[in-house]
Amino acid sequence: MWTQLLRRVMLAIPVLFLVSIMVFSLIHLIPGDPGRTILGPEATPEAVRAFDHRLGLDRPLPEQYLRWLLQVLHGDLGRSLVDGTPVSLLIAQRLPPTAELAVGALLLAILLAVPAGILGATRQGTWSDAAGTFLSLAGLSLPQFWLGLLLILYFAVRLHWLPASGYVPFLEEPLQNLKTMLLPIVVTGLRETAVTMRMMRSSLLDVLGQDYVRTARAKGLTPSAVVLRHAARNALIPVLTTSGLQLAGLLGGLVITETIFVIPGFGRLIVDSILNRDFVTLQGAVLVSALLVIAVNFLVDVLYTVLDPRIQPARGLRA
Amino acid sequence: MMERPAALARRFARNRLAAFGAVVVFLLIVTALFAPWLAPRDPYAQDYQALLRPPSPAHPLGTDELGRDELSRLIYGARISLEAGIVSVGLAVAVGLPLGLFSGFVGGFWDEAVIGRLTDAMLAFPSLILALAIAAVLGPNLVNAMTAIGISMAPAYIRLIRGQVLAEREREYVEASRALGASVSRQIFRHILPNVLSPLLVQASLGVASAVIAEASLSYLGLGTQPPTPSWGSMLRTAQGYLTTAPWLSYYPGLAIFVVVLAINLVGDGLRDLLDPRQRRRV
């Protein structure tokens, strides 16, 4: 197992290197002169030059990259172009609501999807299985921003049950926090629920076809004991690991959810930095999102080998 | 063995959900192509006498904040969604197919060290965030949004094709043709490519559904189609500002996205059941 772990670390190094190059190149993808584009047409040439100098954009590219990389390795992601706040601080401030949303969404997904998946797999081919399959596909097709708008319209505007926005930290006002986060968690969790349900169903179908399940049936166990005590446990392993691997999709979805519900989270930071043409913050946030995905994928792979020693991790990182 | 197209089509039609999806997709294509004839009014014509009107016989889906006919804008919006779906996936396939074929067939350094790691790195970015960032630096418009979505989708296709090539090239019939002295291009085009096409078709059809949602998401965030061009995502962006005064503006663009994406997904799922024997339902 240790050699496998080492192998995974070795594989991650070139990926991290490439990720850093891609993120660094982001600011240079701006068509024409980045300084000119960021500052706008009314900026004087001197201002543009000073800007380029401040960001080091007037130096040769390899030098710029090395300087940037060294800074990043020291935890310095630069300073926001809007107000000069360190980007790492901005990101740290924005992570708690995002983490709450992500954990809530994953919990919701597991609570709803695992029973639904078991139901679908044990009643394969029946009416309820078909309905479940259709519902999960519908869940995948429902645009999150539309669902968000409809929920706000119904629960906030019409019924006045829940607020449409107005995030407060959990530690300050727990009840109010849960009220404001309920709709966003439902919106974020929808996609996860749909994906997890499909996974649970097909994973359990796989397990149910295996020999040891037939043995358990043959020795006279009740169908529910076979499914719940023997099959479902093993079927959960790939499901739990995929829900970790869904983090990339989840982070993308949070950009939308946090925008609809005006939650000052990490996703909203990305949108704000784009609207403010704050490309330094954007660069830092994109880098952190990729690092989060790589770290979680790594942990999931480790977990996978621990939970199921038969499995050799596949080549490369999965996302 | 591949079945004959007519037999395949019959089996596809027997899957009622997939057939329903295909009908909706067909209607979407008709709507997009014939939008000027189908739309009751000019989608750009502003009418300051009729701002934010609820649905009525004159405006079946109401009017927006500039008095434009919502139904006509919805009909024209089909063009954007269809274009975004097809162009983005086309770009992803155009990048992914050759790179995947090359990577899988050549193997070794190029596969392991270059293309493999590059796809790993790209897959580390949440695809919507990658698309957002690319669209933001390139500048917000539909072409850049489609480029960004296509690029962010490409690594999945590289990986799919590569895997298929690795599986196919070890099959006996390809080995036999290699032993008989078939050229590399003959092996690829004659033997491997045809077998790669079914999974590619399945993934591409499901990809169109994701691309439609991605374009709508970018437009909703203000980074895709720009006003006054009607797109379903940007219509919802405007609608959010009038949730209390004109809630009907929030209903139909989202419903259109939902129905179209669901239909495309149903077609994709149907194709998978049809073309992938492992997924075929056990009777």
Side-chain angles (χ1 to χ4, degrees):
Chain A
M1 202 181 99
W2 290 110
T3 49
Q4 267 181 23
L5 273 184
L6 193 69
R7 212 176 93 85
R8 307 235 18 106
V9 175
M10 298 296 282
L11 274 172
I13 291 172
V15 173
L16 288 170
F17 173 68
L18 285 169
V19 162
S20 76
I21 289 190
M22 287 178 191
V23 173
F24 166 77
S25 314
L26 201 59
I27 213 161
H28 296 277
L29 272 176
I30 300 173
D33 176 6
R36 168 61 64 201
T37 314
I38 291 169
L39 294 179
E42 60 277 9
T44 60
E46 290 75 41
V48 173
R49 256 200 306 279
F51 177 85
D52 284 354
H53 185 71
R54 187 158 63 85
L55 264 76
L57 293 172
D58 50 356
R59 301 182 179 266
L61 274 182
E63 189 192 326
Q64 281 187 42
Y65 172 68
L66 285 177
R67 273 165 173 266
W68 177 79
L69 187 66
L70 270 176
Q71 281 184 346
V72 168
L73 288 175
H74 285 96
D76 176 5
L77 296 173
R79 281 167 180 280
S80 157
L81 294 178
V82 176
D83 54 9
T85 322
V87 172
S88 44
L89 183 70
L90 278 176
I91 293 176
Q93 285 170 345
R94 301 291 197 111
L95 278 178
T98 301
E100 189 185 344
L101 273 178
V103 170
L106 282 179
L107 277 181
L108 183 77
I110 290 170
L111 284 178
L112 287 178
V114 169
I118 293 180
L119 214 66
T122 48
R123 303 189 179 177
Q124 196 198 4
T126 64
W127 180 86
S128 53
D129 178 34
T133 308
F134 180 78
L135 275 181
S136 75
L137 203 60
L140 280 178
S141 310
L142 199 59
Q144 285 172 321
F145 45 94
W146 187 51
L147 178 68
L149 285 183
L150 292 185
L151 290 178
I152 290 179
L153 205 54
Y154 196 71
F155 289 103
V157 176
R158 194 152 303 166
L159 297 177
H160 300 287
W161 283 0
L162 294 165
S165 60
Y167 171 81
V168 284
F170 182 76
L171 293 176
E172 284 172 26
E173 289 180 58
L175 201 67
Q176 185 61 20
N177 168 280
L178 291 180
K179 268 184 163 178
T180 47
M181 294 300 258
L182 186 63
L183 292 182
I185 285 176
V186 169
V187 171
T188 318
L190 174 83
R191 228 193 95 79
E192 269 42 62
T193 310
V195 177
T196 313
M197 188 174 146
R198 284 163 84 90
M199 269 304 295
M200 184 66 205
R201 179 180 176 275
S202 66
S203 167
L204 186 57
L205 277 178
D206 255 13
V207 173
L208 285 176
Q210 283 175 14
D211 287 342
Y212 79 92
V213 174
R214 199 176 318 145
T215 311
R217 281 199 182 119
K219 73 181 190 189
L221 290 182
T222 59
S224 62
V226 172
V227 170
L228 296 179
R229 213 171 310 150
H230 291 263
R233 281 197 191 175
N234 278 316
L236 266 175
I237 296 177
V239 174
L240 292 181
T241 49
T242 3
S243 59
L245 296 176
Q246 284 178 46
L247 180 76
L250 190 69
L251 280 176
L254 285 170
V255 172
I256 303 273
T257 325
E258 292 177 359
T259 304
I260 311 172
F261 293 98
V262 206
I263 295 167
F266 181 73
R268 182 71 218 178
L269 179 69
I270 292 183
V271 176
D272 286 343
S273 67
I274 289 170
L275 295 179
N276 296 328
R277 312 192 65 71
D278 183 354
F279 289 104
V280 177
T281 305
L282 178 65
Q283 212 175 19
V286 171
L287 180 70
V288 169
S289 71
L291 293 182
L292 277 174
V293 171
I294 291 176
V296 169
N297 284 359
F298 181 77
L299 289 177
V300 163
D301 263 348
V302 174
L303 194 71
Y304 209 37
T305 8
V306 174
L307 285 177
D308 193 343
R310 287 169 305 176
I311 288 157
Q312 304 277 320
R315 189 199 67 87
L317 292 169
R318 278 161 301 164
Chain B
M1 270 300 280
M2 271 297 257
E3 288 171 74
R4 288 229 296 280
L8 271 177
R10 258 199 306 278
R11 257 193 331 117
F12 184 82
R14 227 177 291 147
N15 180 343
R16 262 180 275 164
L17 283 176
F20 165 76
V23 170
V24 174
V25 171
F26 176 75
L27 288 178
L28 170 77
I29 295 172
V30 170
T31 310
L33 286 179
F34 297 102
W37 290 276
L38 290 170
R41 285 161 198 266
D42 176 356
Y44 297 98
Q46 307 181 354
D47 179 359
Y48 291 99
Q49 305 300 314
L51 303 183
L52 298 172
R53 289 276 166 87
S56 68
H59 300 283
L61 302 184
T63 63
D64 68 6
E65 81 288 359
L66 296 172
R68 296 172 297 194
D69 182 50
E70 184 78 353
L71 175 63
S72 305
R73 293 183 66 74
L74 203 66
I75 291 175
Y76 271 83
R79 296 187 148 187
I80 305 284
S81 283
L82 190 66
E83 184 186 350
I86 294 173
V87 173
S88 310
V89 172
L91 180 67
V93 172
V95 174
L97 182 61
L99 282 179
L101 281 175
F102 176 79
S103 188
F105 208 85
V106 173
F109 175 78
W110 281 101
D111 172 39
E112 281 278 333
V114 184
I115 300 176
R117 296 289 78 75
L118 213 61
T119 46
D120 278 352
M122 287 197 58
L123 286 171
F125 296 97
S127 62
L128 187 64
I129 292 181
L130 183 64
L132 269 176
I134 296 175
V137 292
L138 292 180
N141 63 49
L142 178 61
V143 173
N144 289 343
M146 293 190 298
T147 311
I149 296 167
I151 293 175
S152 71
M153 289 173 98
Y157 290 85
I158 299 179
R159 187 156 292 180
L160 171 81
I161 301 294
R162 173 184 176 276
Q164 291 291 325
V165 172
L166 287 183
E168 288 298 328
R169 62 174 294 183
E170 300 310 323
R171 296 267 172 94
E172 276 112 0
Y173 72 96
V174 180
E175 268 178 44
S177 84
R178 202 157 37 225
L180 286 170
S183 67
V184 169
S185 68
R186 187 177 162 85
Q187 286 175 52
I188 290 182
F189 288 102
R190 179 85 202 178
H191 298 304
I192 292 180
L193 196 58
N195 284 301
V196 167
L197 284 181
S198 322
L200 180 65
L201 186 67
V202 172
Q203 179 147 340
S205 59
L206 296 170
V208 172
S210 328
V212 169
I213 285 213
E215 187 278 327
S217 306
L218 289 188
S219 294
Y220 169 75
L221 294 170
L223 284 167
T225 317
Q226 295 299 306
T229 311
S231 94
W232 295 340
S234 57
M235 286 165 80
L236 279 175
R237 175 184 172 79
T238 327
Q240 190 167 10
Y242 302 94
L243 263 187
T244 43
T245 46
W248 59 89
L249 292 178
S250 299
Y251 300 150
Y252 306 106
L255 187 65
I257 301 170
F258 174 51
V259 171
V260 163
V261 172
L262 179 61
I264 301 173
N265 272 330
L266 287 172
V267 171
D269 250 24
L271 283 175
R272 175 162 47 203
D273 286 348
L274 203 63
L275 297 174
D276 185 350
R278 278 164 306 177
Q279 296 269 341
R280 205 166 285 168
R281 291 208 183 111
R282 279 159 282 179
V283 186

